[in-house]
Amino acid sequence: MPDTTQQVLIIGAGPAGLSMACALADAGIASTVLEASPEAELAEPREDGREIALTHRGTAILQDLQAWQDLPPEAISPLRQARVFNGTAPQCLHFDSGQAERLGSLVPNHWLRRIAWLGAERRPLVQVRTQAKVTALELSAASARLTLEGGEQLQAPLVIAADSRFSATRRLAGIGAEMRDFGRSVILCRIEHEKPHEDQALECFHHGHTMAWLPLGGYSAQLSSLVLTLPTDLAQAQLAWSEEQWLAWVQQHSQGRLGRLKLAGSRHHYPLVATYAHRFAAPRFALVGDAAVGMHPVTAHGYNFGLYGVQCLASLLAGAPDPGDAALLTHYAAEHRRTTWPIYQGTNAVVRLFTDERPPARLLRQGVLAVADRLPPLKALITRQLTGQGRIGFSAR
Ligand SMILES: Cc1cc2nc3c(=O)[nH]c(=O)nc-3n(C[C@H](O)[C@H](O)[C@H](O)COP(=O)(O)OP(=O)(O)OC[C@H]3O[C@@H](n4cnc5c(N)ncnc54)[C@H](O)[C@@H]3O)c2cc1C
């Protein structure tokens, strides 16, 4: 067993925790990743229905980590345009990639998990211990100590928690979090359609539900991922329907935008809960990934924020004599908050506006879409934020 007392300990081998370990290794810092699940779930992650929209900055970070090239070409689908509709009104807010070749790329989540695992596997400075569930944590100015299920204790100069938006270690570190339960769930499913998607995403805010269509051009010009957002009780009811009955409902509500539809996969569902940690650092402790910021998926920022945090923290720790240095962790916390807080708040405001069924809200969103569509500078600003080109750099030290 390697001596972990000088290594950074990372809790959680999701895509954020594993990418953190890879980024630290590239900065010359050894780490051990502790993961509750068995190895097979990390090495061969199952398809989970999520198609992750990556910004230009998120993509660049994966390229720097040498992970991007592990993706098969078909797993990368270009996103070149997006249209946002309010109800059945024909007018829409239209975004295109302007001078850029694309707005971003869509990659299946199970592929992102897999390339993060492959990256960790080939770096000698990264150890991954599976079936190692963290149950207790003690933090002091001198060091961090954690306990695994079974009683084993490990000590380190720094513990980084990447153990999901419902992070238990965040709570053990005495850090609270804002939690926003939207009372809604998403049903995800791949669907083949008659008309080509032209690499265009459609976001349709209907009364009572939202339908987003994400184009999967890497696989086919006639394949998209449907992201259907519904009040949770309706989502549960729909999941009990047969596939035929559900497809008929989707067909009826798709307004023929993509022609005849056919299921191309199984349905997956997720409750929608956003979380934002009150602090991102404590003595000898930092939060990354969803454990720091768990986003509503409508603006597609969750994993991108995970990658921005990984890049920021690893750059700050590179070359530092003590990776648990309090000033560095404070700098990371402030920087990550500056990057994420405006978009977290903006995303929640968009969700509130577009899920409020009262007539004034419906009118207001029609107005917002019309005004935004006629104001190129505002559209350009939104596009820059959504594609990760808003604040590319950050001041490390
Ligand atoms: C429907 C949906 C659509 C999304 N779309 C987008 C998108 O378009 N763009 C985007 O950027 N993001 C998107 N996201 C967000 C993205 O999926 C997440 O941000 C990302 O998967 C989080 O990764 P993570 O590593 O932080 O957490 P997780 O993947 O949750 O990993 C946490 C890991 O920690 C382990 N763990 C937990 N507790 C312990 C413990 N005590 N001890 C040891 N191990 C532990 C778990 O087993 C797990 O492996 C979407 C999310 C959803 C639900």
Side-chain angles (χ1 to χ4, degrees):
M1 187 65 58
D3 172 20
T4 61
T5 53
Q6 294 313 311
Q7 293 185 357
V8 172
L9 294 173
I10 298 172
I11 307 171
L18 290 172
S19 300
M20 186 74 243
C22 294
L24 288 180
D26 294 351
I29 301 169
S31 66
T32 298
V33 186
L34 303 161
E35 167 59 47
S37 315
E39 180 171 331
E41 282 185 26
L42 305 179
E44 298 285 338
R46 279 190 300 264
E47 207 257 317
D48 59 16
R50 295 187 218 181
E51 309 291 341
I52 304 294
L54 289 166
T55 62
H56 295 298
R57 180 175 169 195
T59 304
I61 295 170
L62 288 174
Q63 284 165 345
D64 285 351
L65 291 174
Q66 317 288 316
W68 191 253
Q69 71 271 24
D70 285 335
L71 289 171
E74 67 274 13
I76 306 170
S77 297
L79 182 57
R80 298 191 209 278
Q81 301 178 64
R83 280 179 205 272
V84 183
F85 294 88
N86 181 34
T88 51
Q91 307 86 340
C92 68
L93 175 57
H94 176 238
F95 295 99
D96 62 31
S97 49
Q99 305 295 326
E101 185 256 331
R102 59 180 72 184
L103 284 164
S105 299
L106 288 153
V107 178
N109 193 46
H110 70 99
W111 265 111
L112 291 174
R113 295 183 58 204
R114 196 185 174 119
I115 60 173
W117 169 259
L118 292 173
E121 258 199 324
R122 62 172 169 252
R123 285 172 168 86
L125 287 179
V126 178
Q127 304 284 325
V128 182
R129 279 184 66 179
T130 51
Q131 294 179 293
K133 183 174 179 186
V134 176
T135 56
L137 179 72
E138 280 170 66
L139 303 173
S140 73
S143 73
R145 187 160 40 173
L146 50 77
T147 309
L148 300 181
E149 199 170 55
E152 186 186 348
Q153 294 201 321
L154 302 170
Q155 195 165 316
L158 173 65
V159 167
I160 301 175
D163 54 345
S164 87
R165 66 186 63 200
F166 303 112
S167 168
T169 22
R170 183 175 65 207
R171 199 173 307 119
L172 289 171
I175 301 178
E178 172 181 312
M179 291 223 175
R180 194 173 284 267
D181 187 335
F182 296 96
R184 289 173 179 253
S185 295
V186 282
I187 302 178
L188 314 175
C189 190
R190 284 188 175 189
I191 296 194
E192 279 174 20
H193 38 81
E194 186 187 9
K195 298 183 190 168
H197 49 58
E198 294 171 342
D199 300 327
Q200 170 173 257
L202 303 174
E203 182 89 44
C204 313
F205 292 98
H206 295 288
H207 307 313
H209 68 271
T210 304
M211 261 185 180
W213 295 91
L214 306 177
L216 301 178
Y219 294 98
S220 158
Q222 284 154 298
L223 180 71
S224 292
S225 168
L226 169 64
V227 183
L228 176 63
T229 308
L230 296 159
T232 295
D233 54 342
L234 288 182
Q236 294 297 347
Q238 287 206 1
L239 287 165
W241 296 350
S242 68
E243 289 187 342
E244 294 71 32
Q245 192 181 2
W246 187 69
L247 183 65
W249 186 94
V250 172
Q251 180 77 64
Q252 187 195 339
H253 290 83
S254 68
Q255 299 179 280
R257 288 199 167 107
L258 291 164
R260 296 289 317 155
L261 306 176
K262 187 172 154 217
L263 291 194
S266 50
R267 291 173 283 175
H268 300 263
H269 68 105
Y270 297 89
L272 289 177
V273 180
T275 57
Y276 200 95
H278 293 160
R279 288 177 288 136
F280 296 148
R284 307 233 161 238
F285 183 79
L287 293 169
V288 297
D290 277 18
V293 184
M295 294 288 289
H296 186 294
V298 69
T299 54
H301 266 81
Y303 186 45
N304 289 294
F305 280 170
L307 289 168
Y308 302 171
V310 160
Q311 183 191 48
C312 175
L313 187 55
S315 316
L316 286 163
L317 301 188
D322 174 4
D325 181 279
L328 295 181
L329 298 183
T330 304
H331 190 146
Y332 159 71
E335 184 57 40
H336 198 46
R337 187 181 166 85
R338 251 198 309 278
T339 306
T340 56
W341 182 245
I343 294 181
Y344 176 78
Q345 288 296 349
T347 300
N348 292 345
V350 166
V351 173
R352 272 196 302 276
L353 177 64
F354 282 90
T355 53
D356 187 338
E357 297 307 333
R358 289 170 298 179
R362 288 192 203 175
L363 266 179
L364 178 61
R365 57 189 184 233
Q366 193 56 47
V368 167
L369 292 187
V371 168
D373 202 46
R374 284 186 201 113
L375 278 181
L378 177 60
K379 271 208 313 194
L381 181 73
I382 299 172
T383 308
R384 274 203 306 279
Q385 286 301 333
L386 295 183
T387 57
Q389 295 171 311
R391 296 178 66 236
I392 299 222
F394 71 93
S395 51
R397 282 191 262 191

